[in-house]
Amino acid sequence: MNVKNILSEFFASNFLLDSEFNRRLVSSLVIFLILWVIRIFINKIVKHQTKDFRIRYNWRKSSLYVAVFLGIILIGRLWIQGFQPILAFMGIVAAALTITQKEAILNGSGFIFILWRDLFIIGDRIEICEKKGDVIGIGIFYFTIMEVGNWVNSEQSTGRLIKVPNSLVLTNPISNYTRSFPFIWDEITTILTFDSNWQKARNIMQEVAEEQTGNLQEKIEKALKAAADKMILFHHLRPKVYVEPVSQSPAGIHLTLRYLCEPRKRRDMENSIWEAILIKFGVYEDISFVEG
């Protein structure tokens, strides 16, 4: 005698349920148990295959939502037969909820859109509606980010958590700092007096940038090759200094260093470059900054 028959006899003898109701109830429990066991089994495999907490988190969340979705469909089919009047009533209720719970429905739709379009995952740094931060949680109605920027310079963490309604992804642009190509361009500008030796200053800035970013070049090139199928193309990957004489305030020779860096290390990289530039500029009397 299989498990289903044993459960059916138990419910029929102890709860005096009719055979049809009993069959549906037992089948629902069996479906629930099977889906739950499969989910646990999948998560254990993922746990043994990777130590990346973001991948583990995404699998736990995704497997839960898939199990619930399949459970609703499979169990729902068992109970729908013979309940047409109830379904008609539920349709009316659903229409009413659509009107009164518009925000909740939009947030749920946004959640599906995030997963379907693969907009971001745990650990990505994103910006939406002037809110910027690292994604630390994705729920059915809200996603949570650890805020960066705002009153803190160079996009470092403020320590605040922001819960953002999922519905915002349906109608607003999203900037993702880390998906596809995990590097961003940053710029440092210094202004020299017109009588400064700007050629020497430019060469120093170029050398400093090459030294500071040298260990990233191999990673950058590999990342760009991996992102080529998404039409992420750059003609120059190495640092470059641009020269621009400006006669309006602040007047002087503007030297702008442009380089690639990792989003979360932007401030550290900028600090290291500035320290090296200032030390090397200080050696030469023919390089002077514009005052004021």
Side-chain angles (χ1 to χ4, degrees), residues 20-49:
E20 182 61 21
F21 185 90
N22 179 43
R23 181 185 67 81
R24 291 176 180 173
L25 182 59
V26 172
S27 298
S28 299
L29 288 174
V30 171
I31 291 172
F32 172 80
L33 290 173
I34 290 174
L35 291 174
W36 198 256
V37 170
I38 292 174
R39 177 177 178 268
I40 293 174
F41 180 71
I42 290 174
N43 286 326
K44 283 189 176 181
I45 292 177
V46 173
K47 186 176 181 179
H48 283 89
Q49 290 294 323

mmCIF file of all heavy atoms in Angstrom, residues 20-49:
data_model
loop_
_atom_site.group_PDB
_atom_site.id
_atom_site.type_symbol
_atom_site.label_atom_id
_atom_site.label_comp_id
_atom_site.label_asym_id
_atom_site.label_seq_id
_atom_site.Cartn_x
_atom_site.Cartn_y
_atom_site.Cartn_z
ATOM 1 N N GLU A 20 -13.842 12.076 -2.449
ATOM 2 C CA GLU A 20 -13.333 13.053 -3.403
ATOM 3 C C GLU A 20 -12.558 14.157 -2.698
ATOM 4 O O GLU A 20 -11.451 14.523 -3.113
ATOM 5 C CB GLU A 20 -14.499 13.667 -4.188
ATOM 6 C CG GLU A 20 -14.063 14.679 -5.257
ATOM 7 C CD GLU A 20 -13.173 14.071 -6.328
ATOM 8 O OE1 GLU A 20 -13.194 12.833 -6.495
ATOM 9 O OE2 GLU A 20 -12.423 14.829 -6.975
ATOM 10 N N PHE A 21 -13.104 14.685 -1.630
ATOM 11 C CA PHE A 21 -12.416 15.711 -0.853
ATOM 12 C C PHE A 21 -11.127 15.152 -0.271
ATOM 13 O O PHE A 21 -10.081 15.808 -0.272
ATOM 14 C CB PHE A 21 -13.332 16.219 0.265
ATOM 15 C CG PHE A 21 -12.756 17.366 1.048
ATOM 16 C CD1 PHE A 21 -12.978 18.670 0.653
ATOM 17 C CD2 PHE A 21 -11.964 17.125 2.172
ATOM 18 C CE1 PHE A 21 -12.438 19.729 1.366
ATOM 19 C CE2 PHE A 21 -11.417 18.184 2.887
ATOM 20 C CZ PHE A 21 -11.656 19.489 2.483
ATOM 21 N N ASN A 22 -11.221 13.927 0.225
ATOM 22 C CA ASN A 22 -10.058 13.256 0.801
ATOM 23 C C ASN A 22 -8.951 13.100 -0.230
ATOM 24 O O ASN A 22 -7.771 13.348 0.047
ATOM 25 C CB ASN A 22 -10.490 11.907 1.359
ATOM 26 C CG ASN A 22 -9.309 11.144 1.956
ATOM 27 O OD1 ASN A 22 -8.487 11.725 2.640
ATOM 28 N ND2 ASN A 22 -9.225 9.856 1.676
ATOM 29 N N ARG A 23 -9.327 12.695 -1.441
ATOM 30 C CA ARG A 23 -8.338 12.490 -2.498
ATOM 31 C C ARG A 23 -7.621 13.788 -2.831
ATOM 32 O O ARG A 23 -6.390 13.832 -2.980
ATOM 33 C CB ARG A 23 -9.036 11.945 -3.754
ATOM 34 C CG ARG A 23 -8.085 11.666 -4.921
ATOM 35 C CD ARG A 23 -8.852 11.241 -6.152
ATOM 36 N NE ARG A 23 -9.665 12.339 -6.658
ATOM 37 C CZ ARG A 23 -9.165 13.328 -7.418
ATOM 38 N NH1 ARG A 23 -7.880 13.353 -7.718
ATOM 39 N NH2 ARG A 23 -9.956 14.274 -7.856
ATOM 40 N N ARG A 24 -8.383 14.875 -2.925
ATOM 41 C CA ARG A 24 -7.783 16.169 -3.262
ATOM 42 C C ARG A 24 -6.874 16.674 -2.142
ATOM 43 O O ARG A 24 -5.788 17.217 -2.397
ATOM 44 C CB ARG A 24 -8.886 17.192 -3.530
ATOM 45 C CG ARG A 24 -9.669 16.926 -4.815
ATOM 46 C CD ARG A 24 -10.805 17.900 -4.969
ATOM 47 N NE ARG A 24 -11.542 17.647 -6.204
ATOM 48 C CZ ARG A 24 -12.667 18.254 -6.535
ATOM 49 N NH1 ARG A 24 -13.207 19.143 -5.698
ATOM 50 N NH2 ARG A 24 -13.267 17.981 -7.669
ATOM 51 N N LEU A 25 -7.302 16.476 -0.907
ATOM 52 C CA LEU A 25 -6.513 16.938 0.220
ATOM 53 C C LEU A 25 -5.183 16.197 0.301
ATOM 54 O O LEU A 25 -4.117 16.799 0.477
ATOM 55 C CB LEU A 25 -7.300 16.765 1.519
ATOM 56 C CG LEU A 25 -6.615 17.266 2.798
ATOM 57 C CD1 LEU A 25 -6.297 18.744 2.697
ATOM 58 C CD2 LEU A 25 -7.487 16.976 4.013
ATOM 59 N N VAL A 26 -5.254 14.870 0.159
ATOM 60 C CA VAL A 26 -4.038 14.061 0.223
ATOM 61 C C VAL A 26 -3.108 14.393 -0.944
ATOM 62 O O VAL A 26 -1.890 14.538 -0.776
ATOM 63 C CB VAL A 26 -4.385 12.562 0.225
ATOM 64 C CG1 VAL A 26 -3.116 11.727 0.081
ATOM 65 C CG2 VAL A 26 -5.114 12.190 1.501
ATOM 66 N N SER A 27 -3.685 14.528 -2.133
ATOM 67 C CA SER A 27 -2.867 14.869 -3.306
ATOM 68 C C SER A 27 -2.180 16.218 -3.116
ATOM 69 O O SER A 27 -1.018 16.393 -3.490
ATOM 70 C CB SER A 27 -3.740 14.896 -4.562
ATOM 71 O OG SER A 27 -4.295 13.630 -4.822
ATOM 72 N N SER A 28 -2.881 17.164 -2.498
ATOM 73 C CA SER A 28 -2.298 18.484 -2.244
ATOM 74 C C SER A 28 -1.108 18.374 -1.303
ATOM 75 O O SER A 28 -0.063 19.003 -1.518
ATOM 76 C CB SER A 28 -3.348 19.422 -1.648
ATOM 77 O OG SER A 28 -4.428 19.608 -2.534
ATOM 78 N N LEU A 29 -1.257 17.552 -0.239
ATOM 79 C CA LEU A 29 -0.156 17.370 0.710
ATOM 80 C C LEU A 29 1.048 16.703 0.055
ATOM 81 O O LEU A 29 2.202 17.084 0.306
ATOM 82 C CB LEU A 29 -0.634 16.537 1.902
ATOM 83 C CG LEU A 29 -1.600 17.231 2.876
ATOM 84 C CD1 LEU A 29 -2.093 16.226 3.920
ATOM 85 C CD2 LEU A 29 -0.923 18.409 3.563
ATOM 86 N N VAL A 30 0.773 15.723 -0.807
ATOM 87 C CA VAL A 30 1.862 15.020 -1.496
ATOM 88 C C VAL A 30 2.610 15.981 -2.411
ATOM 89 O O VAL A 30 3.857 15.997 -2.454
ATOM 90 C CB VAL A 30 1.310 13.824 -2.292
ATOM 91 C CG1 VAL A 30 2.410 13.241 -3.191
ATOM 92 C CG2 VAL A 30 0.784 12.762 -1.351
ATOM 93 N N ILE A 31 1.875 16.803 -3.154
ATOM 94 C CA ILE A 31 2.506 17.777 -4.053
ATOM 95 C C ILE A 31 3.358 18.758 -3.252
ATOM 96 O O ILE A 31 4.503 19.068 -3.621
ATOM 97 C CB ILE A 31 1.438 18.542 -4.863
ATOM 98 C CG1 ILE A 31 0.780 17.606 -5.870
ATOM 99 C CG2 ILE A 31 2.062 19.742 -5.588
ATOM 100 C CD1 ILE A 31 -0.412 18.218 -6.582
ATOM 101 N N PHE A 32 2.819 19.243 -2.133
ATOM 102 C CA PHE A 32 3.551 20.174 -1.286
ATOM 103 C C PHE A 32 4.851 19.553 -0.786
ATOM 104 O O PHE A 32 5.929 20.173 -0.852
ATOM 105 C CB PHE A 32 2.684 20.588 -0.099
ATOM 106 C CG PHE A 32 3.410 21.404 0.933
ATOM 107 C CD1 PHE A 32 3.632 22.761 0.744
ATOM 108 C CD2 PHE A 32 3.899 20.805 2.094
ATOM 109 C CE1 PHE A 32 4.317 23.508 1.703
ATOM 110 C CE2 PHE A 32 4.583 21.544 3.047
ATOM 111 C CZ PHE A 32 4.794 22.895 2.853
ATOM 112 N N LEU A 33 4.785 18.311 -0.292
ATOM 113 C CA LEU A 33 5.978 17.644 0.238
ATOM 114 C C LEU A 33 7.020 17.407 -0.847
ATOM 115 O O LEU A 33 8.221 17.597 -0.625
ATOM 116 C CB LEU A 33 5.581 16.318 0.896
ATOM 117 C CG LEU A 33 4.793 16.432 2.208
ATOM 118 C CD1 LEU A 33 4.315 15.048 2.657
ATOM 119 C CD2 LEU A 33 5.636 17.083 3.297
ATOM 120 N N ILE A 34 6.569 16.993 -2.028
ATOM 121 C CA ILE A 34 7.505 16.727 -3.130
ATOM 122 C C ILE A 34 8.236 18.002 -3.528
ATOM 123 O O ILE A 34 9.467 18.016 -3.686
ATOM 124 C CB ILE A 34 6.767 16.122 -4.338
ATOM 125 C CG1 ILE A 34 6.304 14.700 -4.017
ATOM 126 C CG2 ILE A 34 7.676 16.112 -5.570
ATOM 127 C CD1 ILE A 34 5.453 14.081 -5.093
ATOM 128 N N LEU A 35 7.494 19.086 -3.692
ATOM 129 C CA LEU A 35 8.105 20.362 -4.076
ATOM 130 C C LEU A 35 9.081 20.857 -3.012
ATOM 131 O O LEU A 35 10.156 21.381 -3.320
ATOM 132 C CB LEU A 35 7.026 21.414 -4.328
ATOM 133 C CG LEU A 35 6.148 21.214 -5.561
ATOM 134 C CD1 LEU A 35 5.033 22.255 -5.604
ATOM 135 C CD2 LEU A 35 6.983 21.301 -6.840
ATOM 136 N N TRP A 36 8.700 20.684 -1.747
ATOM 137 C CA TRP A 36 9.568 21.138 -0.657
ATOM 138 C C TRP A 36 10.859 20.340 -0.594
ATOM 139 O O TRP A 36 11.943 20.898 -0.394
ATOM 140 C CB TRP A 36 8.813 21.051 0.665
ATOM 141 C CG TRP A 36 9.454 21.880 1.749
ATOM 142 C CD1 TRP A 36 10.201 21.454 2.799
ATOM 143 C CD2 TRP A 36 9.398 23.304 1.861
ATOM 144 N NE1 TRP A 36 10.618 22.506 3.555
ATOM 145 C CE2 TRP A 36 10.143 23.669 3.009
ATOM 146 C CE3 TRP A 36 8.790 24.303 1.105
ATOM 147 C CZ2 TRP A 36 10.294 24.982 3.410
ATOM 148 C CZ3 TRP A 36 8.947 25.617 1.511
ATOM 149 C CH2 TRP A 36 9.689 25.937 2.649
ATOM 150 N N VAL A 37 10.758 19.032 -0.778
ATOM 151 C CA VAL A 37 11.949 18.170 -0.762
ATOM 152 C C VAL A 37 12.862 18.507 -1.932
ATOM 153 O O VAL A 37 14.094 18.577 -1.779
ATOM 154 C CB VAL A 37 11.536 16.687 -0.804
ATOM 155 C CG1 VAL A 37 12.763 15.807 -1.048
ATOM 156 C CG2 VAL A 37 10.866 16.285 0.505
ATOM 157 N N ILE A 38 12.278 18.727 -3.114
ATOM 158 C CA ILE A 38 13.081 19.089 -4.285
ATOM 159 C C ILE A 38 13.817 20.395 -4.042
ATOM 160 O O ILE A 38 14.999 20.530 -4.376
ATOM 161 C CB ILE A 38 12.188 19.203 -5.545
ATOM 162 C CG1 ILE A 38 11.663 17.820 -5.939
ATOM 163 C CG2 ILE A 38 12.958 19.834 -6.704
ATOM 164 C CD1 ILE A 38 10.672 17.846 -7.078
ATOM 165 N N ARG A 39 13.128 21.363 -3.437
ATOM 166 C CA ARG A 39 13.759 22.656 -3.154
ATOM 167 C C ARG A 39 14.930 22.480 -2.190
ATOM 168 O O ARG A 39 16.012 23.051 -2.400
ATOM 169 C CB ARG A 39 12.728 23.618 -2.564
ATOM 170 C CG ARG A 39 13.315 24.956 -2.162
ATOM 171 C CD ARG A 39 12.258 25.912 -1.648
ATOM 172 N NE ARG A 39 12.868 27.165 -1.231
ATOM 173 C CZ ARG A 39 13.279 27.436 -0.004
ATOM 174 N NH1 ARG A 39 13.118 26.527 0.964
ATOM 175 N NH2 ARG A 39 13.837 28.594 0.282
ATOM 176 N N ILE A 40 14.745 21.721 -1.130
ATOM 177 C CA ILE A 40 15.828 21.483 -0.166
ATOM 178 C C ILE A 40 17.007 20.795 -0.841
ATOM 179 O O ILE A 40 18.172 21.145 -0.613
ATOM 180 C CB ILE A 40 15.317 20.628 1.013
ATOM 181 C CG1 ILE A 40 14.294 21.436 1.842
ATOM 182 C CG2 ILE A 40 16.469 20.176 1.908
ATOM 183 C CD1 ILE A 40 13.637 20.635 2.943
ATOM 184 N N PHE A 41 16.704 19.816 -1.693
ATOM 185 C CA PHE A 41 17.745 19.066 -2.398
ATOM 186 C C PHE A 41 18.559 19.987 -3.319
ATOM 187 O O PHE A 41 19.797 19.943 -3.337
ATOM 188 C CB PHE A 41 17.101 17.932 -3.204
ATOM 189 C CG PHE A 41 18.085 17.094 -3.963
ATOM 190 C CD1 PHE A 41 18.941 16.239 -3.298
ATOM 191 C CD2 PHE A 41 18.153 17.174 -5.348
ATOM 192 C CE1 PHE A 41 19.861 15.465 -4.001
ATOM 193 C CE2 PHE A 41 19.062 16.403 -6.060
ATOM 194 C CZ PHE A 41 19.917 15.539 -5.384
ATOM 195 N N ILE A 42 17.875 20.853 -4.061
ATOM 196 C CA ILE A 42 18.556 21.782 -4.969
ATOM 197 C C ILE A 42 19.447 22.742 -4.194
ATOM 198 O O ILE A 42 20.602 22.982 -4.564
ATOM 199 C CB ILE A 42 17.525 22.570 -5.806
ATOM 200 C CG1 ILE A 42 16.843 21.638 -6.813
ATOM 201 C CG2 ILE A 42 18.186 23.731 -6.544
ATOM 202 C CD1 ILE A 42 15.717 22.290 -7.587
ATOM 203 N N ASN A 43 18.944 23.286 -3.095
ATOM 204 C CA ASN A 43 19.733 24.235 -2.311
ATOM 205 C C ASN A 43 20.956 23.587 -1.679
ATOM 206 O O ASN A 43 22.003 24.232 -1.526
ATOM 207 C CB ASN A 43 18.861 24.879 -1.229
ATOM 208 C CG ASN A 43 17.890 25.896 -1.790
ATOM 209 O OD1 ASN A 43 18.203 26.584 -2.748
ATOM 210 N ND2 ASN A 43 16.709 25.986 -1.206
ATOM 211 N N LYS A 44 20.843 22.308 -1.301
ATOM 212 C CA LYS A 44 22.013 21.607 -0.756
ATOM 213 C C LYS A 44 23.083 21.420 -1.829
ATOM 214 O O LYS A 44 24.280 21.553 -1.558
ATOM 215 C CB LYS A 44 21.580 20.255 -0.182
ATOM 216 C CG LYS A 44 20.903 20.368 1.183
ATOM 217 C CD LYS A 44 20.693 19.001 1.808
ATOM 218 C CE LYS A 44 20.115 19.132 3.222
ATOM 219 N NZ LYS A 44 19.928 17.820 3.870
ATOM 220 N N ILE A 45 22.645 21.116 -3.052
ATOM 221 C CA ILE A 45 23.608 20.965 -4.151
ATOM 222 C C ILE A 45 24.334 22.284 -4.401
ATOM 223 O O ILE A 45 25.563 22.328 -4.542
ATOM 224 C CB ILE A 45 22.886 20.504 -5.434
ATOM 225 C CG1 ILE A 45 22.368 19.073 -5.253
ATOM 226 C CG2 ILE A 45 23.823 20.583 -6.635
ATOM 227 C CD1 ILE A 45 21.584 18.558 -6.439
ATOM 228 N N VAL A 46 23.558 23.389 -4.457
ATOM 229 C CA VAL A 46 24.156 24.705 -4.690
ATOM 230 C C VAL A 46 25.127 25.063 -3.566
ATOM 231 O O VAL A 46 26.208 25.612 -3.801
ATOM 232 C CB VAL A 46 23.052 25.780 -4.802
ATOM 233 C CG1 VAL A 46 23.663 27.179 -4.868
ATOM 234 C CG2 VAL A 46 22.179 25.525 -6.021
ATOM 235 N N LYS A 47 24.763 24.740 -2.323
ATOM 236 C CA LYS A 47 25.612 25.048 -1.173
ATOM 237 C C LYS A 47 26.950 24.337 -1.265
ATOM 238 O O LYS A 47 27.993 24.886 -0.868
ATOM 239 C CB LYS A 47 24.893 24.655 0.112
ATOM 240 C CG LYS A 47 25.636 25.061 1.378
ATOM 241 C CD LYS A 47 24.831 24.725 2.621
ATOM 242 C CE LYS A 47 25.565 25.160 3.882
ATOM 243 N NZ LYS A 47 24.781 24.849 5.107
ATOM 244 N N HIS A 48 26.939 23.098 -1.783
ATOM 245 C CA HIS A 48 28.185 22.346 -1.910
ATOM 246 C C HIS A 48 28.991 22.759 -3.144
ATOM 247 O O HIS A 48 30.206 22.570 -3.184
ATOM 248 C CB HIS A 48 27.886 20.844 -1.987
ATOM 249 C CG HIS A 48 27.543 20.240 -0.652
ATOM 250 N ND1 HIS A 48 26.250 20.189 -0.176
ATOM 251 C CD2 HIS A 48 28.332 19.692 0.319
ATOM 252 C CE1 HIS A 48 26.250 19.611 1.021
ATOM 253 N NE2 HIS A 48 27.489 19.318 1.354
ATOM 254 N N GLN A 49 28.316 23.345 -4.144
ATOM 255 C CA GLN A 49 28.986 23.688 -5.388
ATOM 256 C C GLN A 49 29.658 25.056 -5.349
ATOM 257 O O GLN A 49 30.608 25.306 -6.085
ATOM 258 C CB GLN A 49 27.981 23.653 -6.550
ATOM 259 C CG GLN A 49 27.499 22.259 -6.911
ATOM 260 C CD GLN A 49 28.610 21.388 -7.474
ATOM 261 O OE1 GLN A 49 29.475 21.860 -8.198
ATOM 262 N NE2 GLN A 49 28.594 20.115 -7.126
#
